């Protein structure tokens, strides 16, 4: 039996648990599991303090609006951080500040280089997710479970982009 | 109104804690797992992902089949799905994270994930500024299409069918390579086979 203090669970136990989260998402919030639009809600809320005219764009205004769905997803991703922290504390796993795979993947142990790559990666990730209108959660977990045609195309493109980038730009880990 | 928003936030936090717990316990949030998956040498990410899709399909087949919930599929916008998906995938490989797992990485103390998060927020804001133009040129609009509507069968039958296929695929994947072999000594996807592989690249003295 999986225990809360285990260092690792089977991917099948964890996958079932994540899939079951669709029940409260659909029943209570009337939405599907997703993560990337919370970046728009938080990012645009902060940016609109510097440039209030941003909220004249409907897309930004719609995401910053304090609706149940917008704030639910912000709370969800904050909860992800808390849940991962609790799980790590309960298993007693210790992590280095940067995963040891990066010095091999980037061919350099410079943390400044890693931070720069991470920033660019985050930018691409969210710019792409917002063009596609969903990420690994919204298109991947939720879209594929709903047999969505567009989400299946988006997930195929996501893996294609990920595999080509990891093979060409990163060294083998 | 305030009450429903407060409840949505509480539900979101609780669901997120379960989500983050599962991401940490499965180790799928580790950069080593995600980069390893994209280099096709570690399959824990695909196993967690396909299991969650299969579970979600069974759950939604029941909830939708018995009429408790409406489906919420996104519109099929092929150009946007392809272009956005490619950029998202490139970002995932270089971040060693997806948007959701970035927060899990911050939770366990990975410092580079803070830069992924800031980059992500900047990317989301940049998209918001570009959205009116991109909506006209690239994104457009499309129907909320699901595969079972194309074939003309009820959603629940297709969803159960997908789940059954995924269970077979996962069983075959597990038989080809056990998930335990992909964990690595520090359960971070930094697997012994990687260093063995490197060892072979160094000529023996």
């Amino acid at each position: 039996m999986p225990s809360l203090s285990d260092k690792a669970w089977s991917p099948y136990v964890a996958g079932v648990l994540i899939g079951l989260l669709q029940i409260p998402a659909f029943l209570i919030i009337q939405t599907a599991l997703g993560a990337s639009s919370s970046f728009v809600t938080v990012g645009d809320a902060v940016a609109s303090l510097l440039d209030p005219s941003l909220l004249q764009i409907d897309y930004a205004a719609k995401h910053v609006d304090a609706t149940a769905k917008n704030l639910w997803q912000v709370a969800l991703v904050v909860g992800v951080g808390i849940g991962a922290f609790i799980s790590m504390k309960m298993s007693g796993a210790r992590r280095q500040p940067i995963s040891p795979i990066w010095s091999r993947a980037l061919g350099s142990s410079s943390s400044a280089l890693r931070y720069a790559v991470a920033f660019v990666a985050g930018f691409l990730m969210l710019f792409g997710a917002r063009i596609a209108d969903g990420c690994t959660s919204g298109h991947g977990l939720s879209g594929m479970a709903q047999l969505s045609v567009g989400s299946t195309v988006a997930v195929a493109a996501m893996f294609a982009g990920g595999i080509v980038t990891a093979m060409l730009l990163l060294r083998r880990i | 109104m305030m009450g429903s928003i407060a409840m949505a936030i509480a539900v979101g936090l609780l669901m997120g804690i379960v989500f983050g717990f599962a991401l940490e316990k499965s180790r799928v949030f580790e950069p080593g797992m995600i980069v390893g998956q994209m280099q096709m040498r570690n399959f824990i990410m695909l196993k967690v992902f396909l299991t969650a899709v299969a579970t979600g399909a069974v759950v939604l087949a029941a909830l939708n089949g018995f009429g408790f919930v409406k489906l919420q599929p996104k519109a099929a916008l092929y150009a946007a799905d392809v272009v956005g998906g490619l950029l998202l995938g490139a970002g995932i490989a270089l971040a060693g994270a997806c948007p959701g797992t970035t927060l899990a990485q911050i939770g366990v103390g990975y410092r580079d994930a803070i830069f992924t998060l800031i980059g992500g927020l900047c990317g989301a804001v940049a998209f918001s500024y570009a959205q009116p133009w991109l909506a006209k040129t690239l994104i457009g609009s499309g129907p909320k299409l699901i595969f079972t509507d194309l074939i003309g069968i009820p959603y629940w039958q297709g969803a159960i069918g997908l789940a059954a296929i995924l269970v077979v695929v996962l069983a075959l994947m597990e038989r080809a390579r056990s998930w335990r072999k992909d964990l690595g000594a520090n359960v971070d996807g930094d697997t012994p086979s990687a260093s063995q592989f490197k060892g072979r690249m160094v000529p023996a003295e």
Side-chain angles (χ1 to χ4, degrees):
Chain A
M1 270 301 285
S3 144
L4 295 182
S5 60
D6 286 347
K7 277 206 163 55
W9 282 356
S10 144
Y12 309 111
V13 172
V16 167
L17 194 56
I18 294 168
L20 290 177
L21 289 172
Q22 299 290 5
I23 300 175
F26 272 85
L27 277 183
I28 305 176
I29 313 293
Q30 281 93 45
T31 191
L33 218 50
S36 66
S37 61
S38 68
F39 283 72
V40 184
T41 301
V42 174
D44 284 0
V46 174
S48 68
L49 299 177
L50 306 171
D51 175 17
S53 73
L54 172 61
L55 297 181
Q56 285 164 15
I57 298 171
D58 282 349
Y59 183 86
K62 213 181 84 205
H63 280 81
V64 169
D65 198 13
T67 62
K69 268 181 205 179
N70 285 343
L71 296 180
W72 165 80
Q73 204 183 85
V74 173
L76 182 84
V77 298
V78 170
V80 165
I82 299 171
F85 175 78
I86 296 172
S87 173
M88 175 197 67
K89 282 289 167 199
M90 291 181 85
S91 67
R94 282 213 312 251
R95 307 251 71 88
Q96 293 171 308
I98 297 178
S99 168
I101 67 128
W102 286 118
S103 58
R104 286 208 305 282
L106 298 175
S108 157
S109 54
S110 154
S111 49
L113 173 69
R114 175 56 203 145
Y115 294 154
V117 170
F119 178 87
V120 172
F123 190 99
L124 284 176
M125 197 160 75
L126 265 299
F127 200 84
R130 292 332 300 163
I131 289 176
D133 190 28
C135 63
T136 330
S137 299
H139 272 313
L141 300 175
S142 303
M144 297 214 27
Q146 296 183 82
L147 308 175
S148 154
V149 178
S151 292
T152 307
V153 172
V155 170
M158 184 194 88
F159 272 102
I163 289 168
V164 168
T165 306
M167 295 288 193
L168 296 184
L169 293 185
L170 296 176
R171 299 181 190 197
R172 279 184 70 87
I173 61 164
Chain B
M1 196 59 199
M2 274 313 286
S4 73
I5 287 177
M7 189 190 72
I9 292 173
V11 169
L13 265 179
L14 276 175
M15 288 176 65
I17 289 172
V18 174
F19 199 176
F21 210 92
L23 290 172
E24 206 277 346
K25 283 283 180 256
S26 65
R27 317 306 306 158
V28 71
F29 80 101
E30 285 282 358
M33 300 292 176
I34 293 173
V35 174
Q37 177 66 65
M38 294 305 182
Q39 293 184 342
M40 301 302 269
R41 54 183 320 287
N42 188 316
F43 289 86
I44 284 185
M45 177 184 172
L46 205 53
K47 288 173 180 175
V48 174
F49 176 72
L50 295 180
T51 306
V53 170
T55 307
V58 171
V59 159
L60 292 176
L63 289 179
N64 180 256
F66 290 115
F68 291 114
V69 303
K70 276 201 318 194
L71 294 179
Q72 314 268 356
K74 294 174 190 289
L77 310 162
Y78 299 109
D81 288 334
V82 169
V83 174
L86 287 171
L87 288 175
L88 168 63
I92 288 173
L94 296 176
C98 43
T101 54
T102 300
L103 278 298
Q105 291 183 356
I106 292 174
V108 305
Y110 276 139
R111 272 181 217 158
D112 51 340
I114 296 168
F115 290 84
T116 313
L117 175 72
I118 297 170
L121 292 170
C122 292
V125 172
F127 175 81
S128 298
Y129 278 105
Q131 194 270 347
W133 179 75
L134 283 171
K136 273 183 278 176
T137 51
L138 173 70
I139 300 173
S141 61
K144 295 185 173 181
L145 212 55
I146 64 172
F147 282 109
T148 43
D149 287 348
L150 293 178
I151 316 170
I153 58 170
Y155 163 75
W156 70 266
Q157 290 179 3
I160 297 290
L162 173 71
I165 293 168
L166 290 179
V167 168
V168 173
V169 168
L170 286 165
L172 292 174
M173 281 174 68
E174 186 61 24
R175 209 160 76 177
R177 186 176 169 83
S178 162
W179 61 271
R180 292 175 199 279
K181 285 190 180 157
D182 284 339
L183 283 177
N186 291 319
V187 293
D188 61 357
D190 198 3
T191 50
S193 58
S195 46
Q196 275 164 23
F197 177 79
K198 260 177 61 182
R200 282 204 303 277
M201 298 298 285
V202 179
E205 285 180 40

